[in-house]
Amino acid sequence: MEITGIISGLIIGIVIGALGRLVIPGRQRIPVWLTIVIGVVAALIGTAIAAALGVADTGGVDWIELGIQVALAALGVSLSVGMYGRRRK
Protein backbone atom coordinates (compact mmCIF):
# COMPACT_ATOMS: atom_id res chain seq x y z
CA MET A 1 0.00 0.00 0.00
CA GLU A 2 1.31 3.42 -0.93
CA ILE A 3 1.31 6.47 1.29
CA THR A 4 -1.46 8.09 -0.75
CA GLY A 5 -3.68 5.08 -0.07
CA ILE A 6 -3.04 5.34 3.67
CA ILE A 7 -3.70 9.08 3.69
CA SER A 8 -6.91 8.75 1.68
CA GLY A 9 -8.04 5.92 3.98
CA LEU A 10 -7.49 8.15 7.01
CA ILE A 11 -9.35 11.04 5.40
CA ILE A 12 -12.29 8.80 4.53
CA GLY A 13 -12.20 7.42 8.08
CA ILE A 14 -12.30 10.91 9.55
CA VAL A 15 -15.25 11.91 7.36
CA ILE A 16 -17.23 8.70 7.94
CA GLY A 17 -16.49 8.78 11.69
CA ALA A 18 -17.52 12.43 11.95
CA LEU A 19 -20.74 11.75 10.05
CA GLY A 20 -21.44 8.82 12.34
CA ARG A 21 -21.00 11.08 15.37
CA LEU A 22 -23.25 13.76 13.89
CA VAL A 23 -26.08 11.29 13.33
CA ILE A 24 -26.18 10.33 17.02
CA PRO A 25 -27.96 12.84 19.29
CA GLY A 26 -26.21 14.21 22.36
CA ARG A 27 -22.58 14.55 23.26
CA GLN A 28 -20.26 11.62 22.69
CA ARG A 29 -17.38 11.48 25.13
CA ILE A 30 -14.95 9.36 23.13
CA PRO A 31 -11.51 10.38 21.86
CA VAL A 32 -10.97 11.62 18.32
CA TRP A 33 -8.63 8.72 17.53
CA LEU A 34 -11.41 6.27 18.38
CA THR A 35 -13.77 8.13 16.04
CA ILE A 36 -11.20 7.81 13.24
CA VAL A 37 -10.72 4.09 13.88
CA ILE A 38 -14.48 3.54 13.91
CA GLY A 39 -14.78 5.51 10.66
CA VAL A 40 -12.06 3.52 8.90
CA VAL A 41 -13.54 0.19 10.02
CA ALA A 42 -17.06 1.30 9.05
CA ALA A 43 -15.82 2.41 5.63
CA LEU A 44 -14.15 -0.94 4.99
CA ILE A 45 -17.07 -3.05 6.22
CA GLY A 46 -19.61 -0.79 4.49
CA THR A 47 -17.78 -1.13 1.18
CA ALA A 48 -17.74 -4.92 1.55
CA ILE A 49 -21.47 -5.00 2.32
CA ALA A 50 -22.25 -2.70 -0.61
CA ALA A 51 -20.17 -4.92 -2.91
CA ALA A 52 -22.01 -8.01 -1.67
CA LEU A 53 -25.34 -6.30 -2.36
CA GLY A 54 -24.16 -5.19 -5.80
CA VAL A 55 -24.52 -1.46 -5.14
CA ALA A 56 -20.85 -0.53 -4.71
CA ASP A 57 -20.28 0.63 -8.29
CA THR A 58 -22.91 3.01 -9.59
CA GLY A 59 -22.76 5.98 -11.89
CA GLY A 60 -21.94 9.11 -9.91
CA VAL A 61 -21.90 9.20 -6.13
CA ASP A 62 -22.49 5.87 -4.42
CA TRP A 63 -25.18 7.11 -2.02
CA ILE A 64 -26.25 3.64 -0.91
CA GLU A 65 -22.68 2.67 -0.05
CA LEU A 66 -22.17 5.97 1.81
CA GLY A 67 -25.42 5.43 3.73
CA ILE A 68 -24.31 1.95 4.78
CA GLN A 69 -20.93 3.29 5.91
CA VAL A 70 -22.46 6.14 7.94
CA ALA A 71 -25.00 3.79 9.53
CA LEU A 72 -22.20 1.42 10.56
CA ALA A 73 -20.16 4.34 11.91
CA ALA A 74 -23.16 5.57 13.92
CA LEU A 75 -23.63 2.08 15.33
CA GLY A 76 -19.93 1.84 16.17
CA VAL A 77 -19.93 5.26 17.85
CA SER A 78 -23.03 4.34 19.87
CA LEU A 79 -21.48 1.09 21.07
CA SER A 80 -18.17 2.79 21.84
CA VAL A 81 -19.82 5.60 23.79
CA GLY A 82 -21.70 3.03 25.85
CA MET A 83 -18.62 0.94 26.57
CA TYR A 84 -16.14 3.83 26.94
CA GLY A 85 -18.48 5.79 29.19
CA ARG A 86 -18.91 2.87 31.59
CA ARG A 87 -15.17 2.36 31.94
CA ARG A 88 -14.42 6.05 32.52
CA LYS A 89 -16.69 6.43 35.58
Side-chain angles (χ1 to χ4, degrees), residues 13-14 16-19 21 30-40 77:
I14 291 168
I16 296 294
L19 288 173
R21 280 183 85 153
I30 59 173
V32 174
W33 67 265
L34 186 56
T35 303
I36 294 170
V37 170
I38 291 169
V40 169
V77 168

Side-chain angles (χ1 to χ4, degrees), residues 57-88:
D57 294 322
T58 59
V61 178
D62 296 328
W63 292 109
I64 297 171
E65 181 179 1
L66 182 61
I68 293 169
Q69 291 171 339
V70 171
L72 288 173
L75 178 66
V77 168
S78 294
L79 293 173
S80 297
V81 166
M83 292 187 314
Y84 192 79
R86 288 185 186 164
R87 271 193 270 157
R88 298 279 300 188

Side-chain angles (χ1 to χ4, degrees), residues 45-61:
I45 295 172
T47 299
I49 291 172
L53 295 174
V55 294
D57 294 322
T58 59
V61 178

